[in-house]
């Protein structure tokens, strides 16, 4: 399913000031064979693609030539009734406004490729005028089905809105396009977090250079920075900054095997005060061993670790 369509000219224009227009149509529901769709309401918001700020909005009811296609009483709470559209303008009376909003912009909406785009073309064809032409189409139904999946259930706008706690879909054009934009923002946020924190969200975090959690920040403050620029069997642990104007100094080396992650670094086995004593004991042992067999040296070397 093609859900994002752009030509080469469109891509060049989008680098400039081409805006995105989210739009939605409300129509009658044909209940007889061969009965056509009539546009009863058009609603749209124009947004800036860089920050999704709403720049312009427009909404109007539309009176069909045959009022009998509109129900006297709608089955929806805020549905469109025959009385509501009785005094609304005909499509040809607001065609110029609709054309100016849609033509030369990126069209966006939920299931617009299959339904809304077709109805727009039919409405302009009926009055003998060329239909507006988009520079690109973004159908959120296809985009979200591919990227977000069916974790929210079916991909109807009402279901997605309920999943994110955005309230009940009103099935009125302007309300629905604004809800459509909010649903996209929510889905994009979830997908961004999942791609940025995949292991954290699944409980499998092993350490990341770009993500800092509470345990990571504690580790950093406790250990100082770790230098692994030239691995020669033992990474060096150095202090993070200068102290009293002096350069950082080496404090201790770890085991020979490199750690699997930063979080695996073990504490230095000897305190700074005992390091000198340890060195002295090693020196004395080696001096005594000069006149003794090697196995005698090994026999007494276990005393170093006591």
């Amino acid at each position: 399913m093609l859900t994002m369509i752009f030509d080469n000219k469109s891509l060049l224009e989008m680098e400039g000031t081409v805006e995105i227009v989210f739009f939605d149509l409300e129509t009658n529901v044909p209940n007889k064979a061969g009965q056509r769709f009539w546009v009863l309401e058009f609603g749209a918001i124009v947004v800036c693609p860089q920050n999704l700020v709403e720049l312009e909005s427009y909404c109007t009811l539309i009176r069909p030539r045959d009022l009998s296609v509109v129900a006297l009483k709608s089955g929806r709470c805020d549905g469109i009734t025959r009385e509501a559209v009785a005094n609304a303008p005909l499509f040809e009376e607001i065609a110029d406004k609709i054309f100016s909003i849609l033509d030369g912009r990126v069209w966006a909406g939920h299931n617009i490729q299959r339904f809304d785009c077709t109805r727009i073309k039919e409405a302009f064809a009926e009055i003998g005028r060329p239909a507006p032409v988009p520079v690109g189409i973004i159908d959120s139904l296809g985009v979200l089905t591919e990227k977000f999946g069916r974790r929210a259930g079916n991909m109807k706008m009402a279901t997605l809105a309920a999943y994110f706690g955005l309230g009940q879909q009103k099935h009125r054009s302007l309300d629905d396009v604004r809800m459509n934009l909010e649903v996209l923002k929510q889905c994009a946020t979830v997908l961004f977090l999942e791609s940025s924190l995949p292991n954290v969200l699944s409980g499998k975090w092993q350490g990341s250079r770009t993500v800092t959690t509470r345990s990571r920040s504690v580790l950093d403050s406790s250990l100082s920075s770790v230098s692994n620029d030239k691995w020669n069997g033992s990474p060096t642990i150095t202090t993070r900054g200068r102290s009293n104007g002096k350069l950082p100094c080496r404090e201790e080396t770890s085991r020979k095997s490199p750690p699997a992650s930063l979080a695996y670094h073990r504490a230095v086995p000897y305190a700074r005060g005992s390091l000198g004593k340890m060195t002295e004991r090693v020196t004395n042992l080696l001096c005594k061993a000069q006149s003794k067999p090697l196995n005698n040296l090994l026999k007494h070397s276990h005393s170093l670790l006591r």
Side-chain angles (χ1 to χ4, degrees):
M1 177 186 296
L2 293 176
T3 55
M4 301 180 67
I5 304 174
F6 301 98
D7 55 34
N8 292 333
K9 181 181 178 181
S10 306
L11 294 174
L12 293 175
E13 291 176 339
M14 286 184 67
E15 294 178 358
T17 58
V18 175
E19 294 116 357
I20 301 174
V21 53
F22 284 81
F23 74 99
D24 178 70
L25 304 178
E26 293 297 324
T27 69
N28 65 311
V29 179
N31 52 21
K32 296 179 182 179
Q35 191 177 45
R36 56 164 289 185
F37 286 96
W38 291 86
V39 178
L40 303 180
E41 187 176 41
F42 173 88
I45 59 171
V46 179
V47 300
C48 173
Q50 282 77 24
N51 53 23
L52 300 182
V53 171
E54 185 175 319
L55 304 175
E56 179 186 356
S57 65
Y58 176 73
C59 186
T60 181
L61 289 168
I62 301 171
R63 184 175 82 250
R65 293 189 178 278
D66 182 4
L67 276 176
S68 65
V69 301
V70 187
L72 291 172
K73 184 177 181 180
S74 175
R76 294 171 175 169
C77 180
D78 297 315
I80 299 172
T81 62
R82 187 180 300 178
E83 181 182 1
V85 299
N87 297 315
L90 295 169
F91 185 84
E92 53 260 40
E93 296 176 303
I94 44 87
D96 286 340
K97 179 64 176 178
I98 293 177
F99 186 94
S100 67
I101 290 176
L102 294 179
D103 191 57
R105 285 180 167 138
V106 177
W107 293 5
H110 203 67
N111 197 29
I112 60 172
Q113 274 192 282
R114 187 179 66 86
F115 187 80
D116 301 76
C117 294
T118 301
R119 303 287 88 80
I120 285 291
K121 291 178 181 179
E122 290 174 351
F124 275 91
E126 184 188 15
I127 62 174
R129 292 187 50 177
V133 178
V135 297
I137 298 176
I138 302 174
D139 192 324
S140 59
L141 174 62
V143 172
L144 296 182
T145 300
E146 177 183 354
K147 302 295 184 181
F148 196 70
R150 296 183 178 273
R151 68 184 78 184
N154 61 45
M155 301 306 293
K156 293 181 179 180
M157 183 55 57
T159 305
L160 290 165
Y163 179 80
F164 289 111
L166 298 176
Q168 185 176 3
Q169 184 183 9
K170 294 184 178 181
H171 293 283
R172 297 300 299 268
S173 294
L174 196 57
D175 292 320
D176 285 1
V177 293
R178 288 189 172 128
M179 176 173 280
N180 190 182
L181 180 57
E182 288 305 311
V183 165
L184 281 173
K185 289 178 180 178
Q186 295 284 346
C187 290
T189 300
V190 171
L191 294 173
F192 169 76
L193 290 175
E194 289 180 347
S195 64
S196 301
L197 308 171
N199 293 328
V200 172
L201 296 181
S202 63
K204 298 178 180 178
W205 182 75
Q206 297 295 331
S208 169
R209 296 181 182 275
T210 59
V211 177
T212 302
T213 62
R214 179 169 295 181
S215 59
R216 173 72 180 273
S217 62
V218 171
L219 176 66
D220 286 345
S221 62
S222 301
L223 282 182
S224 304
S225 62
V226 177
S227 173
N228 285 314
D229 293 339
K230 294 182 179 180
W231 174 256
N232 58 2
S234 58
T236 58
I237 302 177
T238 61
T239 55
R240 176 159 295 186
R242 297 171 180 263
S243 175
N244 298 326
K246 297 180 180 180
L247 291 172
C249 60
R250 292 186 179 181
E251 291 185 350
E252 190 54 67
T253 59
S254 67
R255 307 280 182 176
K256 289 185 177 180
S257 299
S261 66
L262 292 179
Y264 185 74
H265 279 285
R266 301 182 61 180
V268 178
Y270 300 103
R272 184 177 298 178
S274 64
L275 185 58
K277 295 180 180 179
M278 178 65 184
T279 304
E280 182 179 356
R281 292 172 65 186
V282 171
T283 302
N284 292 336
L285 182 62
L286 291 175
C287 290
K288 293 178 182 180
Q290 289 178 357
S291 58
K292 297 180 180 180
L294 180 60
N295 60 352
N296 197 17
L297 171 62
L298 295 176
K299 175 180 179 182
H300 296 284
S301 62
H302 71 278
S303 63
L304 294 177
L305 304 177
R306 290 178 181 175

